[in-house]
Amino acid sequence: MPVSDSTATGNAWWVRDGLATLDEPGVLLKDALDAVFTRWGAEAGARQQSYPALLRAEDLRTLDYFRNFPHLGSPVTRIRPERLAALAAHPPGATALPAVDLADATHLLPSAACYGCILHLTGTSADTPVLITTVAQCFRNEDHYDGLRRLWGFTMREIVCVGSAEAVRAHLGRHQERIAAFGAALGLTLDRQPATDPFFEKDGSRTVMQLLAPVKEEYLYTDGTAVASTNNHRNFFGERRAIRHAGRPAFTGCVAFGLERWVHALGDRFEGDLAAALRAVRRAGEGS
Ligand code: ATP
Ligand code: ZN
């Protein structure tokens, strides 16, 4: 196996180009964590959904994605039909497929799990809060990658609430308590900090607005890794996608967990003993 970011017990995972391979103890731990967060969703009344693996560029445009997060995007494309024969006759020698051989990209890999949910809810209306939980393989072009702490491809579990401003606030508050209690039961020190989204324009009006009225809170492990966040989108998505609650544009908010980051933090906390971490997650999950 190539590049290793292994723990004290040996090679528990490998990371190359921001892409992770987990061995069985890591897989079991990640699945157990996901089961805990999924159960929190179910207990809050969320139904489980899964969405297409790719998002349409056209849909993301309506969410200001290219204004706010163009740098994170991973467009997906295909080889131009008229270049196929030439490519087959002369396969590229280098590591990359030249852009001239590629078609324009109509789709992107998701950089957060809740986009699929918001897009699916387009044009719907409800009088009671709608809760949905989903998990997605997410991708972000970051300026650097760092083991499981900062990946290009990672797994995000989210619990999304759609409803009144009050329902969203209550949803985020309830999960802030659950995250704190779960962290404490695992012996993980998690610091709650106001945060801003990783906007393209760091000093743009959106960043300033988020600083003035924090809508995002992060849970930081002692080494500064954000393992979870709560995000209040207010009625932005409700307005953009005609999602209505009680006759008005709905408020939305999400609780997001980066599963590999939890594996990283627990690997550190349990000094590489992922089996011990798994037992602790099962115990803490039952009590949380
Ligand atoms: P950061 O500030 O560390 O870049 P973020 O604020 O951009 O994170 P969110 O948008 O809140 O992250 O994403 C939800 C969760 O997804 C984060 O709390 C984290 O656990 C996880 N996550 C985000 N980016 C990455 C990444 N590049 N690699 C691994 N996990 C990530
Ligand atoms: Zn989200």
Side-chain angles (χ1 to χ4, degrees):
M1 272 290 188
V3 186
S4 166
D5 274 291
S6 60
T7 61
T9 52
N11 289 345
W13 60 74
W14 300 263
V15 181
R16 189 174 197 176
D17 301 336
L19 300 167
T21 298
L22 300 184
D23 197 12
E24 182 163 291
V27 173
L28 295 179
L29 181 57
K30 186 174 150 224
D31 287 353
L33 288 159
D34 195 34
V36 170
F37 304 138
T38 306
R39 187 168 56 70
W40 293 0
E43 285 171 8
R47 69 186 290 113
Q48 298 193 49
Q49 290 197 325
S50 71
Y51 305 106
L54 298 177
L55 303 172
R56 293 153 61 107
E58 189 186 323
D59 286 338
L60 286 177
R61 192 177 52 77
T62 67
L63 307 179
D64 286 352
Y65 185 81
F66 299 106
R67 188 191 306 245
N68 292 329
F69 307 115
H71 55 300
L72 299 183
S74 298
V76 174
T77 179
R78 61 204 166 90
I79 297 165
R80 287 179 186 278
E82 69 272 20
R83 312 288 296 200
L84 285 171
L87 201 72
H90 307 284
T95 51
L97 286 172
V100 296
D101 287 342
L102 303 178
D104 293 346
T106 53
H107 290 73
L108 287 88
L109 290 160
S111 56
C114 62
Y115 288 122
C117 179
I118 298 296
L119 293 171
H120 175 70
L121 289 169
T122 299
T124 59
S125 57
D127 289 323
T128 50
V130 174
L131 277 97
I132 294 175
T133 184
T134 191
V135 68
Q137 203 59 40
C138 293
F139 296 81
R140 292 186 183 186
N141 273 304
E142 302 270 10
D143 53 20
H144 71 285
Y145 296 115
D146 177 10
L148 295 187
R149 299 176 58 186
R150 196 163 289 280
L151 291 162
W152 182 15
F154 58 97
T155 318
M156 196 188 293
R157 160 68 59 185
E158 295 209 44
I159 311 169
V160 181
C161 174
V162 182
S164 63
E166 188 40 47
V168 168
R169 258 198 307 274
H171 173 72
L172 301 182
R174 180 180 328 122
H175 286 92
Q176 283 164 355
E177 281 170 23
R178 291 204 96 157
I179 294 167
F182 185 54
L186 291 169
L188 282 185
T189 309
L190 297 180
D191 238 4
R192 180 172 146 193
Q193 292 277 343
T196 52
D197 276 318
F199 291 115
F200 177 55
E201 292 182 81
K202 293 278 175 248
D203 51 0
S205 58
R206 284 170 180 75
T207 312
V208 173
M209 197 183 76
Q210 280 206 353
L211 283 171
L212 289 175
V215 291
K216 181 185 182 83
E217 308 261 353
E218 278 184 344
Y219 284 82
L220 306 180
Y221 180 56
T222 43
D223 65 359
T225 308
V227 292
S229 68
T230 60
N231 303 272
N232 191 331
H233 317 127
R234 302 192 209 169
N235 55 4
F236 176 76
F237 290 136
E239 284 188 342
R240 289 301 175 90
R241 301 302 302 190
I243 305 166
R244 299 178 77 75
H245 171 78
R248 305 174 64 103
F251 282 66
T252 62
C254 65
V255 186
F257 306 90
L259 299 183
E260 288 81 0
R261 285 190 175 179
W262 283 82
V263 172
H264 156 80
L266 286 165
D268 188 56
R269 154 77 180 85
F270 288 89
E271 296 174 343
D273 187 348
L274 297 192
L278 176 63
R279 287 193 296 276
V281 166
R282 288 190 174 143
R283 254 196 323 271
E286 279 160 20
S288 73

